[in-house]
Amino acid sequence: ALEAWLRPHLERGVPTLGICYGHQMLAFMFGGTVDYMYPDQRKHLGSRTLDMIASGPWPAAKGALMVSHNEAVTRVPPDMRVIAASDAVAIDGLSHKRLPIWTLQPHPEATLAFLRQHQLPQDVHAHELSFGHGLAEEFLEYIWYQHDIDTLREDVARASFVAGDDFVIVEYDRGVEIS
């Protein structure tokens, strides 16, 4: 049902950022594969350094992001390319070759509250989250930079939300975020 709801938005070119489960789901929807990272299915928790190539909203960059997952994309979909990798995960980020879709396995939106909720190390300082927050801001600027504040307020007022136990989708007139 979620894929059926999302696919028409993607196909009409709504800018989309899939985070964590969103990364995995979008890869699967476009023909990739997802599997457990470890045979014992344990979670990969903590942070890892991501190497990113320039793509859409982001310049080439390297920085630490928080992670909390036990599955990963194991095969790149035919219509997507790898834009981020780490020592732990070869496919840590994807972009679609013709649609405005980007994905990241790690959590650029992570906050100190996120760390507590996901039982991640609490000794992280706010500045250590700044690389991820910068990625999130760059995505938003990329899709909204040309619009004035009144247009943004109208978009937020018309936003629709879909939520489950492990994901949230926010749809705006100019973008969809899945986390």
Side-chain angles (χ1 to χ4, degrees):
L2 180 58
E3 291 177 19
W5 175 86
L6 185 58
R7 188 167 293 281
H9 297 284
L10 300 173
E11 292 296 333
R12 77 168 195 261
V14 175
T16 303
L17 173 59
I19 299 170
C20 194
Y21 172 73
H23 164 74
Q24 297 167 9
M25 184 184 73
L26 288 165
F28 181 78
M29 285 176 66
F30 285 96
T33 57
V34 177
D35 203 353
Y36 289 103
M37 289 184 63
Y38 306 109
D40 64 2
Q41 301 178 10
R42 73 181 179 276
K43 267 194 160 186
H44 186 82
L45 297 167
S47 69
R48 64 175 172 255
T49 300
L50 214 63
D51 286 306
M52 298 181 65
I53 64 168
S55 177
W58 302 303
K62 183 175 187 167
L65 291 172
M66 303 310 295
V67 296
S68 174
H69 62 100
N70 60 355
E71 295 175 291
V73 176
T74 57
R75 186 172 52 88
V76 178
D79 289 337
M80 298 182 109
R81 67 186 180 105
V82 176
I83 62 165
S86 67
D87 290 342
V89 178
I91 307 170
D92 249 340
L94 297 165
S95 68
H96 197 280
K97 293 177 181 175
R98 65 177 176 80
L99 297 170
I101 299 169
W102 298 270
T103 71
L104 292 171
Q105 179 64 65
H107 290 273
E109 83 288 7
T111 62
L112 295 175
F114 175 92
L115 300 180
R116 283 189 297 277
Q117 179 184 4
H118 290 272
Q119 301 172 347
L120 292 165
Q122 300 295 303
D123 59 352
V124 173
H125 300 285
H127 74 275
E128 294 178 276
L129 301 174
S130 64
F131 177 71
H133 294 174
L135 295 176
E137 288 172 13
E138 288 167 342
F139 176 76
L140 292 173
E141 288 173 7
Y142 182 80
I143 63 171
W144 283 341
Y145 183 77
Q146 67 275 20
H147 303 286
D148 62 47
I149 193 68
D150 291 331
T151 301
L152 294 177
R153 284 189 186 118
E154 291 171 14
D155 287 347
V156 170
R158 288 191 305 266
S160 62
F161 301 85
V162 176
D165 291 339
D166 296 324
F167 68 89
V168 174
I169 297 177
V170 181
E171 176 199 3
Y172 305 92
D173 284 357
R174 279 174 258 304
V176 174
E177 181 206 326
I178 308 167
S179 64

